[in-house]
Amino acid sequence: MGSLRNPIGPLPSSIYWRRRAVAASLIALLAMLIVWTVSSGGGGNGGTGDGDSANGSTPARTITPGPSQSGTAISEQPGGRDESGETGGSDGTGDGGGTGDSAGGDGGTTAGKNGDNVAGGAANGGAGGQQVPAGSSLPDCAPGALKLTLRSVEVAYGPGEKPAFHLVAANSSATTCKADFGPKAAVLTVTDDEDDAVWSSKDCPRAAGSLLLRVPAGASITHTVEWDRKRSAPQCATPPAGAVGPGTYLVEAAFPGVTVLPASFRLEKD
């Protein structure tokens, strides 16, 4: 123990004390390095203290997706409302044997064909409207109750295609009524770009009588007229010679007590 306190040797004791200090410092530094290595290798959890290991020893947490929303996906394209003007209401009573007509018109009872024009070839069918007999007790549509819209089914027709026109009648009143859509009551006329009449539904119809169609209250029906691209003349006279050529045409409708805006269409070249 005396040698530890007082080093014995040929050198001065101060040299031995320096050597001991250096050795003690090296031992302390080595111990610190060992402690730092152990702590850095086994830690790494960010000091959260929750016991989770950051070196992969704890399994990763899984994310469970929430419940999927139920319902039908939207598949229809936007902005696409039917231009024919049918409404969504319905009328539960009918005249002439029909009940429960759909107010949409196109999906309801279809009236039969009323014949073709001899010269004009117009099929005056009451598509979308139920035809009622002449003696029906259904009241006539009051003046101002109907609003009519005329449009061409297509903007342009290729060679051989027959132009078709939709006359949509909307009943704004609260009373179901009937209206005459016969070829001489609802008159459709086609004019060319020089404002010359080419064809009219009243010129020479095969069935010139009335075509009474039922118009449900608060709803609308669609009356369709087809033209076979032939010229016509009043009172079944011989029409002008020559076929109707390509170009832009105007179709107009005349209906008692109702103003109807015309519609344009084109006949394309071969």
Side-chain angles (χ1 to χ4, degrees):
M1 295 296 294
S3 62
L4 293 176
R5 294 193 185 98
N6 298 311
I8 300 174
L11 298 177
S13 60
S14 60
I15 294 177
Y16 293 106
W17 281 112
R18 291 195 191 102
R19 290 178 179 177
R20 290 178 180 179
V22 172
S25 298
L26 291 176
I27 293 172
L29 180 61
L30 180 61
M32 292 176 61
L33 288 175
I34 293 173
V35 172
W36 179 81
T37 302
V38 173
S39 62
S40 63
N45 58 0
T48 58
D50 59 358
D52 293 339
S53 175
N55 60 359
S57 61
T58 302
R61 295 178 180 176
T62 60
I63 299 176
T64 304
S68 60
Q69 295 182 353
S70 61
T72 304
I74 299 175
S75 58
E76 297 181 355
Q77 297 182 355
R81 187 177 66 86
D82 186 5
E83 296 179 357
S84 61
E86 285 82 354
T87 60
S90 62
D91 185 81
T93 60
D95 196 2
T99 59
D101 292 341
S102 170
D106 290 338
T109 305
T110 302
K113 299 287 185 178
N114 196 35
D116 296 338
N117 279 3
V118 173
N124 295 302
Q130 178 191 352
Q131 186 173 1
V132 297
S136 171
S137 60
L138 200 66
D140 295 332
C141 294
L146 297 184
K147 178 182 178 181
L148 270 63
T149 304
L150 177 65
R151 62 184 177 91
S152 175
V153 175
E154 301 290 342
V155 176
Y157 299 90
E161 287 187 296
K162 295 180 180 180
F165 315 112
H166 282 172
L167 185 61
V168 181
N171 184 1
S172 60
S173 71
T175 303
T176 297
C177 57
K178 66 179 185 295
D180 187 2
F181 288 85
K184 292 189 175 183
V187 181
L188 268 65
T189 303
V190 174
T191 57
D192 58 18
D193 54 2
E194 296 181 356
D195 202 26
D196 293 330
V198 175
W199 170 84
S200 176
S201 65
K202 70 176 181 179
D203 281 348
C204 192
R206 287 182 179 174
S210 299
L211 177 61
L212 300 178
L213 299 181
R214 179 177 180 273
V215 188
S220 62
I221 63 170
T222 301
H223 173 58
T224 304
V225 177
E226 189 179 80
W227 174 42
D228 65 359
R229 301 174 72 138
K230 294 181 180 179
R231 297 177 183 270
S232 68
Q235 299 180 0
C236 294
T238 302
V244 175
T248 301
Y249 291 83
L250 198 69
V251 57
E252 301 173 274
F255 196 89
V258 182
T259 301
V260 188
L261 295 178
S264 64
F265 63 96
R266 296 194 313 275
L267 298 182
E268 303 289 2
K269 296 181 180 179
D270 294 338

